[in-house]
Amino acid sequence: MKVAVAHYPQPVLISDRKVWLEMCGWKVPAGFASPAADHTRKRIDLNDHLIRNGDATYILKVRGDSMIDIGIYEGDALLIDRSIEPQHGNIVLAVINSEFTVKRLHRRGGVIKLVPENKRYPTIVVKEEEDFSIWGVVTYNLHKLY
């Protein structure tokens, strides 16, 4: 198997600009509304909570439905960290034969598989002769709810 470094157009780098939001000091039940909604505890910066390494973190938009069974849908924005060492079971952005794909990494006994999270799609077994690399590890999925 040839492990290649992908040289493709880079996604948009996340800005260093701080994004401050009010953070409540309690957990929110997914039931009835809380009367304490006016009592916020502190302001947080989403960069501090979502980004481990700003210089290596990118946001990419999802196209397709091969990962819907774990809640990754068309149009979602994935945070990808290129500094994280990919591990078995991680959701990764892989490049196989010049094509990008988001899949679960299966790496056992010298065999590498890219596993979709939608039963309609087949598992991709990476063959020796294929150009293959892991571009980065998915750390968060930003899914719009409205």
Side-chain angles (χ1 to χ4, degrees):
M1 161 185 349
K2 301 178 206 169
V3 177
V5 177
H7 298 285
Y8 301 98
Q10 300 292 311
V12 176
L13 185 61
I14 295 172
S15 169
D16 288 338
R17 186 174 63 90
K18 298 259 184 217
V19 177
W20 294 101
L21 298 176
E22 297 294 329
M23 182 171 172
C24 298
W26 65 91
K27 297 200 187 277
V28 179
F32 297 103
S34 169
D38 293 334
H39 304 284
T40 58
R41 187 167 141 204
K42 66 177 183 174
R43 293 175 62 84
I44 64 167
D45 177 12
L46 288 180
N47 293 317
D48 292 339
H49 289 271
L50 299 178
I51 300 169
R52 179 172 144 184
N53 182 350
D55 292 334
T57 301
Y58 299 82
I59 295 177
L60 291 120
K61 289 282 195 170
V62 174
R63 183 177 43 122
D65 64 353
S66 70
M67 300 299 285
I68 61 173
D69 289 346
I70 59 165
I72 298 176
Y73 300 98
E74 173 110 22
D76 286 356
L78 301 179
L79 270 69
I80 313 284
D81 189 329
R82 299 196 72 190
S83 70
I84 297 174
E85 183 67 32
Q87 302 294 320
H88 172 79
N90 286 155
I91 305 302
V92 299
L93 178 62
V95 183
I96 186 162
N97 298 324
S98 302
E99 296 288 327
F100 283 91
T101 188
V102 174
K103 299 288 183 281
R104 185 174 301 279
L105 177 64
H106 177 95
R107 187 167 37 192
R108 289 287 187 249
V111 175
I112 297 174
K113 297 178 185 177
L114 299 172
V115 181
E117 295 289 347
N118 180 337
K119 293 182 191 326
R120 295 181 334 153
Y121 291 87
T123 294
I124 300 166
V125 179
V126 180
K127 297 178 182 70
E128 243 346 274
E129 65 275 3
E130 293 180 302
D131 287 330
F132 172 76
S133 65
I134 306 276
W135 198 89
V137 174
V138 176
T139 56
Y140 285 93
N141 177 22
L142 304 178
H143 177 75
K144 190 172 183 177
L145 295 176
Y146 66 92

